[in-house]
Amino acid sequence: MKKYNINKNAGCWLAAIALMLASCSDYLDKQPSVSSDAPITDAAQLFALIDYVSNTYETNAPAVFMTDDCGLSMGLIDAYATLAPQAYYTAFFSDGIAAQASDGLWSGEYRKIYACNTIIAAANSVTDPVNAKEALANAYFCRAWSYYTLAQYYCLPYCEQNKGELGLPLRLGQDFEESLSRTTLEETYNQIFADLKEAESISQNAVDPDKRWRASKCAVNAFYARLYLTMGDYQQALNYANQALGNAPALFDYNSFKEGRSTTYAASQGMPEQTLYYCETNQWSAANFLYFCEYIFTRFTYTGNQWMIPSSDLLASYDQTNDLRFKWFMIPHSNRRFNTTYDEYRYDQLYDGRYAFCGLSTADLLLTKAECEVRLGNWQQGLKDLDDLRAHRYVTGTDSKLTASSQSDALKQVLAERRREFPFSFRMSDIKRYSVNDTSEDDVTITRDFYEMSMTGPVKSNVKHFSVKGNDPLLAVPITDVEINASGGQIQQNPY
């Protein structure tokens, strides 16, 4: 596999910028460190900011613990008390989420936005204007992606009715006196489109297999398809998906994955000894998974605690005999915590369950194309659009084609396929957009029985039934009090 590499000429400067990004814990309210004064004189330095490996990670507790993909149980909370902060998301406990000392998704994406703004400010004054233009287009693309990602979690779903609701603070320069007030949701999406329009000047048509974290025309079109799908404009989403597929990489046959290793764990708390079998991707680090052949633009949902625990509903959606996504990535008995029983499944797509793909890929485009075809009435073609994808995901020789008796049934089948392909990472955005489109048959209500939570942890004497719809304000993730206080109250909290 290829190794991650950064331009050697930019290495020393990148170290200074990395220090700046690490020490600048929150671009929204902190002054930059002195290391940010390092002069930018050539395009290699701009690309060093784009090629910084941490840019591909999105620390994202809401994606892992908040939706109906999450199967975090009260039993695990009983056995593993340190999961209580994650359980705040599972129990939709807004006060507890807001009171946490930090939020890796919010601060991480604004760090990336600051880096993009640094490139945008410097691009016109460096040597090598051709490469500087390419770096500039990448910066606009990545800034648009960060704002899009933040909007999926901290805002209500986009629709005509919600356009005037709270959007995001839009930081477009390096001025730390810039307003921190939240714009409207419409203004936030307008900025995403404006940045993506600037990114269209990118010269690279197809994905660079050695730099899949950089933008390309394929990635720009795929991002447009994702945006329009989110906004419910299915014809535009279909048009851009078709354009992107013209330059998209080939699918990978999951039959080609190898068993990476097996591990035997000793008995714990009366449980029998377990031998766990993993896919080779369990051992993949960034030096491997950044280059996976299907990826168009690499971004990954990250959870350091490795607790992507699938719900029984998610597990039941798979053909557990023939679907290789279940075989390779849904690992039974694999929580491996010796102070707990280990009979839970764990979603382990990449690097021992730390990462799940959330960027742009060929599979993502095929699912977008299929969904749009079905929603636009061409439902037989929509099902056919997924034949190739499913053939690459099922045991060779099994009948993997989707069938349906009506447009409504076809929509159900296609959306279920989307969930199986991208659990956790895509689910929050999908649940939200389903709730505000022109049909109710795709609406999702997240239901669970779970402990009521308090600021000190679970209230185990009170089991509460939760029922949360996609347009519920509870799915607009709270911004931490730390961020709000540091902004001098400029950042407005989501109302609950």
Side-chain angles (χ1 to χ4, degrees), residues 281-353:
T281 60
N282 172 268
Q283 296 158 273
W284 284 8
S285 65
N288 308 107
F289 62 68
L290 284 172
Y291 304 94
F292 184 57
C293 61
E294 291 186 5
Y295 295 163
I296 292 170
F297 178 67
T298 51
R299 285 295 186 269
F300 304 93
T301 297
Y302 172 74
T303 176
N305 55 40
Q306 302 166 260
W307 284 98
M308 291 191 194
I309 304 166
S311 64
S312 58
D313 180 55
L314 174 60
L315 290 169
S317 72
Y318 290 89
D319 173 349
Q320 299 185 6
T321 302
N322 297 314
D323 192 330
L324 293 169
R325 293 166 297 192
F326 182 86
K327 172 186 176 180
W328 291 130
F329 305 143
M330 296 295 181
I331 312 299
H333 315 297
S334 74
N335 67 50
R336 310 182 339 276
R337 313 297 182 179
F338 292 116
N339 61 335
T340 73
T341 55
Y342 42 85
D343 55 347
E344 303 281 348
Y345 277 84
R346 189 166 63 100
Y347 183 63
D348 182 6
Q349 186 184 37
L350 298 165
Y351 200 22
D352 201 16

Side-chain angles (χ1 to χ4, degrees), residues 90-107:
T90 307
F92 309 101
F93 182 43
S94 301
D95 288 346
I97 297 170
Q100 294 193 76
S102 63
D103 179 349
L105 181 61
W106 179 273
S107 60

